[in-house]
Amino acid sequence: VHSLTHFRLLRNAPARAHGDRLVSFANPASKSGPLPGAEDEARRIGGLFPEGKRLLLSGLEATETRAREVGIFEGARLVHFACHGSFDPASRLGARLLLAPDDREDGSLTAEEMQALRIPADLVILSACRTGEGLASRGEGPGTLGRIVHLAGAPSTLVSLWRIDDRATADLVLAF
């Protein structure tokens, strides 16, 4: 766990119903360029779930608006983001996922915006660069996207501490 506060929240959390769905945002049409390995990663993970139990959003469909949609993650066992990520150390919660923009949102899903999400999945994979980086807060540990996802309801996350190659990461995530 990231901090004692986080430990207390997890320990006192009510029993969870386990979901059986996959929700995946992969290779969004962002300003940072395509990630063909990310889309392959999502398709391969999707193959582990039966038809009708997977929601694979890619390209122009993988928008920040969809990620912020109320209830999109309900019933999910696995939530998967395979996209660009960035970290700005000048900001307290400077980590973000870069999704596709649309007429409602700019496509930059910040840590602050993620705090409002409810993600009750068993596992969230943040397959993007630097999703495990964050600035330490006194007594609370680092403010990473992984921590935000924990606070949004997911007991387990997979994050990266460095820049990652989208093709190599596909193999790693599927093996995991």
Side-chain angles (χ1 to χ4, degrees):
V1 295
H2 301 279
S3 70
L4 290 176
T5 301
H6 183 231
F7 176 73
R8 188 184 81 238
L9 288 171
L10 288 176
R11 196 173 103 202
N12 296 330
R16 300 165 23 88
H18 295 281
D20 61 354
R21 296 177 48 238
L22 165 68
V23 178
S24 181
F25 289 77
N27 193 20
S30 76
K31 298 171 195 164
S32 297
L35 294 168
E39 198 156 350
D40 178 55
E41 179 180 322
R43 276 195 299 275
R44 290 167 62 191
I45 291 172
L48 302 173
F49 288 79
E51 189 69 38
K53 296 291 184 178
R54 56 186 174 227
L55 175 60
L56 303 175
L57 301 167
S58 64
L60 294 172
E61 293 180 319
T63 65
E64 178 185 354
T65 300
R66 288 299 307 265
R68 295 175 67 177
E69 200 173 279
V70 173
I72 192 166
F73 303 117
E74 293 299 322
R77 180 171 155 225
L78 174 62
V79 172
H80 172 248
F81 287 93
C83 57
H84 287 287
S86 70
F87 174 69
D88 176 7
S91 172
R92 186 177 75 78
L93 293 172
R96 67 188 69 239
L97 298 176
L98 302 176
L99 302 175
D102 61 15
D103 58 344
R104 293 176 55 197
E105 300 291 345
D106 65 2
S108 179
L109 184 60
T110 67
E112 289 178 304
E113 292 168 332
M114 287 184 83
Q115 287 180 330
L117 300 180
R118 175 154 162 59
I119 309 175
D122 291 337
L123 173 64
V124 175
I125 297 174
L126 301 177
S127 184
C129 294
R130 304 175 76 177
T131 55
E133 284 191 72
L135 298 176
S137 172
R138 189 171 187 182
E140 289 300 318
T144 69
L145 289 178
R147 180 173 182 206
I148 301 289
V149 168
H150 278 287
L151 296 173
S156 300
T157 57
L158 179 63
V159 298
S160 67
L161 293 172
W162 49 84
R163 294 193 175 283
I164 55 177
D165 176 78
D166 71 316
R167 296 221 181 259
T169 302
D171 294 332
L172 175 68
V173 168
L174 194 65
F176 178 80

